[in-house]
Amino acid sequence: MPRPARPDRPHAGGRKSSRPKVDYRVRQKAHEYELDALSGLERVAETELATVPMARDVRGPRFWYPGDPERLTRLKSVIAVYRIQTWDVPRPRGLLGNQQLSELTAYLREVIAVGGHTSFRLGAAGKESSVMQRLAEELQTLLELPHDPENGELLIRLRPELDGPGWDVLARITPKPLSARAWRVCNMHGGLNATIAYAVHKLAGQREEDRIFNPMSGSGTLLIERALLGPCDAMVGVDSAQSAVDCAQANIQAAKREIEVACIDALHTGLPARSFDLITADLPWGDAIGSHMDNEVLYPAFLTEMHRLTSKQGRLALITHEIKLFERVMQEQHKWHAQELLQVASGGHHPKVYLLNKR
């Protein structure tokens, strides 16, 4: 049988509590959830989770929550949110028993009622085994949803229970990953993961008085993620490719934000000195965009020009996978002080995020 939600504790002696009334939702049945974040963004995700009212018993990415799951779909630092149910079975075959299968179906129907999924797939070691194939067939009939092994919207993961003998079944509460932002109507090869862009701005700090600049703005991810966080004094992006500017404008329109982007070389903008308080940049890594040889010239020139454009107390937040090159360039200059904020795993790469301040 699946593990039940934790019951509310009765008042000692059966007496009524004299505590003030609280939101009625805290008395609703809680479900267990788990956040899936990129490796390196776990602390950012935990910090964001702390802002969710009623999230409790937080253990790293796992927590209990009695509220409307829609609130969890608004988290910006995670790839996905899964609801979790645990069954006391020694192996996945045990889920094929009549009672367990009925309970599993009821559980998944609750998730589907929230997300509106139209297909499903299994994510587990040995998913090609006869047991998993039979489980997929049974669920296809009981849920009345097609089993799409490659692109199914309801992603169902099975794994051994972390601290017990049973098995966890995790069901993603949204048809698409949360990192696949609704505003992204235009994609570019080598585009930045939106959860990284969110983390960059949270770690760099939000100030309403900031004048923000995004050189090499690409499809606009850094700009849009900051615009969605709240107001700022000004926001400007430039890119040397008109196709990138067109893509960014399409995404900005879909996000319903007003951001100025233009087709201009980031190193030759003609803008006056100290024009910006925060500059954010996803520098070319030399694989999907640019080349390692070009970066040898670009990185020193970029740091020099951004120093000119940054206000006296301004800051520069940048992302790069050219870590050795960047750190060598930093050792050879004396204008910036750099602090490493995090290293994240994304798309087979492990870029670092740095925050630079003027010396």
Side-chain angles (χ1 to χ4, degrees):
M1 293 183 62
R3 304 276 172 80
R6 297 179 182 179
D8 294 332
R9 294 179 180 176
H11 298 299
R15 292 177 297 177
K16 293 184 178 179
S17 171
S18 59
R19 295 178 182 176
K21 292 182 178 180
V22 295
D23 191 318
Y24 74 94
R25 289 172 295 178
V26 300
R27 297 193 297 270
Q28 292 182 350
K29 180 181 178 181
H31 298 297
E32 191 172 16
Y33 294 89
E34 181 170 302
L35 305 180
D36 182 15
L38 291 176
S39 177
L41 295 188
E42 295 90 349
R43 292 189 66 180
V44 178
E46 290 174 15
T47 299
E48 186 182 15
L49 178 61
T51 68
V52 177
M54 298 185 292
R56 60 181 188 249
D57 298 328
V58 178
R59 295 144 293 137
R62 295 180 71 152
F63 61 100
W64 290 79
Y65 180 66
D68 186 345
E70 189 277 333
R71 174 62 182 85
L72 302 179
T73 69
R74 289 184 267 138
L75 294 172
K76 301 297 183 183
S77 60
V78 300
I79 298 296
V81 178
Y82 291 85
R83 186 171 150 190
I84 308 175
Q85 194 87 18
T86 303
W87 271 264
D88 288 318
V89 293
R91 56 187 64 85
R93 183 185 297 275
L95 294 171
L96 290 168
N98 289 336
Q99 181 178 344
Q100 290 82 0
L101 195 56
S102 176
E103 294 165 347
L104 177 60
T105 302
Y107 156 65
L108 295 175
R109 281 176 178 162
E110 290 181 4
V111 177
I112 294 167
V114 172
H117 311 73
T118 60
S119 57
F120 78 94
R121 59 189 162 112
L122 299 179
K127 64 180 180 180
E128 303 299 330
S129 69
S130 59
V131 170
M132 290 297 179
Q133 290 298 311
R134 183 183 164 196
L135 182 60
E137 293 171 1
E138 294 284 359
L139 290 177
Q140 181 169 248
T141 300
L142 294 169
L143 294 174
E144 298 181 332
L145 284 184
H147 174 222
D148 184 342
E150 300 299 326
N151 301 303
E153 292 183 345
L154 176 60
L155 175 55
I156 305 168
R157 295 167 51 195
L158 289 82
R159 71 183 184 200
E161 185 181 3
L162 296 179
D163 297 310
W167 276 75
D168 289 336
V169 179
L170 297 82
R172 192 174 68 192
I173 66 174
T174 53
K176 294 181 179 180
L178 294 178
S179 55
R181 303 293 205 242
W183 54 257
R184 191 180 292 283
V185 296
C186 177
N187 284 298
M188 290 185 61
H189 183 56
L192 182 66
N193 186 298
T195 65
I196 300 177
Y198 170 89
V200 167
H201 282 292
K202 296 302 290 186
L203 294 171
Q206 295 172 241
R207 303 173 186 171
E208 291 189 11
E209 64 270 22
D210 275 343
R211 299 164 295 166
I212 299 174
F213 181 49
N214 179 205
M216 309 174 198
S217 54
S219 60
T221 305
L222 279 163
L223 292 167
I224 294 170
E225 287 298 306
R226 174 59 183 86
L228 293 171
L229 285 173
C232 62
D233 189 64
M235 188 176 298
V236 178
V238 299
D239 200 286
S240 59
Q242 185 61 50
S243 59
V245 172
D246 293 342
C247 185
Q249 289 175 334
N251 288 331
I252 291 167
Q253 183 177 3
K256 299 180 180 179
R257 292 296 183 271
E258 294 185 7
I259 304 170
E260 182 180 353
V261 289
C263 187
I264 300 174
D265 186 339
L267 301 185
H268 303 92
T269 61
L271 292 167
R274 300 183 179 180
S275 291
F276 303 102
D277 306 298
L278 172 62
I279 297 177
T280 59
D282 178 20
L283 294 179
W285 300 352
D287 48 8
I289 300 174
S291 70
H292 299 294
M293 184 175 296
D294 291 342
N295 288 346
E296 291 279 350
V297 177
L298 172 64
Y299 276 43
F302 175 83
L303 289 175
T304 298
E305 177 62 7
M306 294 309 107
H307 189 274
R308 185 185 74 83
L309 290 176
T310 307
S311 62
K312 187 175 181 180
Q313 301 299 323
R315 57 221 193 272
L316 167 60
L318 58 84
I319 309 154
T320 181
H321 193 256
E322 287 269 34
I323 296 169
K324 290 183 179 179
L325 169 60
F326 174 76
E327 293 185 348
R328 172 164 54 81
V329 171
M330 288 300 300
Q331 290 176 355
E332 295 171 354
Q333 60 82 46
H334 303 285
K335 293 183 176 182
W336 293 104
H337 169 75
Q339 172 190 0
E340 180 184 325
L341 298 180
L342 58 83
Q343 185 169 21
V344 61
S346 177
H349 296 87
H350 294 81
K352 286 187 177 182
V353 179
Y354 298 87
L355 183 64
L356 281 62
N357 297 96
K358 286 187 172 181
R359 290 187 182 273

